[in-house]
Amino acid sequence: MEDQMQLLFTNLKLEMEKQTTILKDSIREEIDLKLKPLVEENLYLKNEVEKLNEMVKRLEYGKRENNLIFYGYEESTEEKNTNIIKMVTKTLNDSGIEINKRDINKAFRIGKAKGEARPILVNILNVWKKNEILKNKSSLPKNIFVNEDFSKEVLEKRRELIPQLKEERKKGHIAFIKYDKLVVKDKEGNIRDKRKREQSDSPNNSNKNGRPKINRINAFERMRNRNRSHSTSELNKE
């Protein structure tokens, strides 16, 4: 009698566990069906935001592409932008870099006046003229410095690449930072490596309609598999 009761109790327990598992699976499947469109939409929107961010970066770069920032010029309270252009063109011509006023779209001081000489932002009409100035910046007076106009984000990335830059140069490689990338060349001038502080996803990782692919096995399915394996192990013990 006791054996029959024990067998009945065991069968009842197994049936309850089976029904519980079926119920859990049914609930999870229902949740999966309801969450799947939301997950897909979320990933799609995330992908669109990344595209917009890249577009903003390109627009920001285009806006600053022709700019140069000069440091070291003394500043007077009666200074005008026309005088700034004359001052910059004179320095460049005296340094052997041929330029005239027509090559400069605008020039002005940047930042708030705090008693110290502020940098001068110069917008060059032609990119090739800007590159010529950068190429020959070593010929400028020792107290005058010039750099490209980068956003705060790019400046931060460039600062973070400096340790890698020094490391590559110690190895004897030709290394320099181009925009927000570290370019490394061997002694023959062949590019060995291009690094960015953060690697962006390749466009090939997304499908044709712009929606990223969803993995078939999601978190709920993993939980379901764990519960099934756990139930099976308990049955084997009994």
Side-chain angles (χ1 to χ4, degrees):
M1 184 69 177
E2 290 182 1
D3 293 340
Q4 291 179 352
M5 290 295 293
Q6 183 65 33
L7 180 61
L8 180 62
F9 178 76
T10 301
N11 291 336
L12 182 60
K13 182 180 178 182
L14 291 174
E15 184 63 26
M16 289 179 64
E17 289 179 351
K18 181 180 177 181
Q19 293 298 325
T20 301
T21 302
I22 293 173
L23 181 60
K24 286 181 179 179
D25 290 346
S26 177
I27 293 173
R28 290 193 184 98
E29 287 175 1
E30 186 69 22
I31 292 174
D32 287 350
L33 289 174
K34 291 182 178 180
L35 284 181
K36 186 176 180 180
L38 296 176
V39 172
E40 289 180 346
E41 185 67 19
N42 182 56
L43 291 175
Y44 173 73
L45 292 174
K46 183 179 179 181
N47 188 47
E48 289 299 307
V49 169
E50 290 176 355
K51 288 180 181 178
L52 289 174
N53 285 335
E54 287 300 319
M55 188 181 298
V56 170
K57 288 179 182 178
R58 287 195 294 269
L59 290 172
E60 182 72 19
Y61 175 76
K63 178 183 175 182
R64 299 172 182 266
E65 186 179 11
N66 286 34
N67 292 349
L68 288 174
I69 299 180
F70 287 83
Y71 303 85
Y73 285 101
E74 294 184 1
E75 183 177 1
S76 64
T77 54
E78 299 178 356
E79 188 176 72
K80 295 181 180 180
N81 290 345
T82 53
N83 295 334
I84 292 176
I85 293 176
K86 290 179 181 178
M87 185 167 55
V88 172
T89 53
K90 184 178 185 306
T91 301
L92 293 173
N93 284 311
D94 290 346
S95 302
I97 305 171
E98 186 177 347
I99 192 171
N100 56 58
K101 297 177 184 178
R102 292 189 297 273
D103 293 322
I104 297 177
N105 181 34
K106 55 186 175 181
F108 53 89
R109 298 277 181 177
I110 55 176
K112 294 182 179 180
K114 297 181 180 179
E116 298 180 355
R118 293 173 294 167
I120 296 173
L121 187 146
V122 179
N123 180 259
I124 312 294
L125 288 175
N126 298 311
V127 175
W128 65 267
K129 178 61 70 174
K130 168 202 160 184
N131 292 333
E132 182 185 355
I133 295 171
L134 290 172
K135 186 178 179 181
N136 297 282
K137 64 181 180 180
S138 59
S139 62
L140 294 172
K142 292 183 179 180
N143 62 314
I144 302 297
F145 305 92
V146 61
N147 280 320
E148 294 188 68
D149 181 23
F150 296 120
S151 65
K152 290 182 179 179
E153 181 183 5
V154 173
L155 286 172
E156 181 63 28
K157 290 180 180 180
R158 289 171 67 88
R159 276 193 290 267
E160 292 181 1
L161 288 171
I162 289 175
Q164 296 180 39
L165 174 70
K166 293 179 179 179
E167 182 182 345
E168 293 296 338
R169 286 179 175 175
K170 284 182 181 179
K171 295 177 182 178
H173 298 149
I174 301 170
F176 56 91
I177 298 174
K178 185 176 182 181
Y179 194 58
D180 62 348
K181 296 179 182 178
L182 175 64
V183 181
V184 182
K185 297 182 179 181
D186 56 24
K187 294 181 180 180
E188 287 73 28
N190 300 316
I191 295 178
R192 294 170 55 89
D193 192 15
K194 269 191 177 183
R195 304 176 191 173
K196 289 185 72 175
R197 186 181 67 87
E198 293 180 356
Q199 294 290 343
S200 58
D201 293 336
S202 170
N204 295 329
N205 291 339
S206 57
N207 53 23
K208 294 181 180 179
N209 61 9
R211 290 178 178 266
K213 294 181 179 179
I214 311 297
N215 292 331
R216 291 183 178 179
I217 299 177
N218 56 27
F220 293 105
E221 290 178 348
R222 290 195 181 97
M223 291 173 62
R224 184 187 308 142
N225 292 335
R226 289 178 183 174
N227 289 333
R228 285 176 177 172
S229 61
H230 181 68
S231 299
T232 304
S233 61
E234 287 186 349
L235 289 174
N236 292 335
K237 288 179 181 179
E238 294 176 356

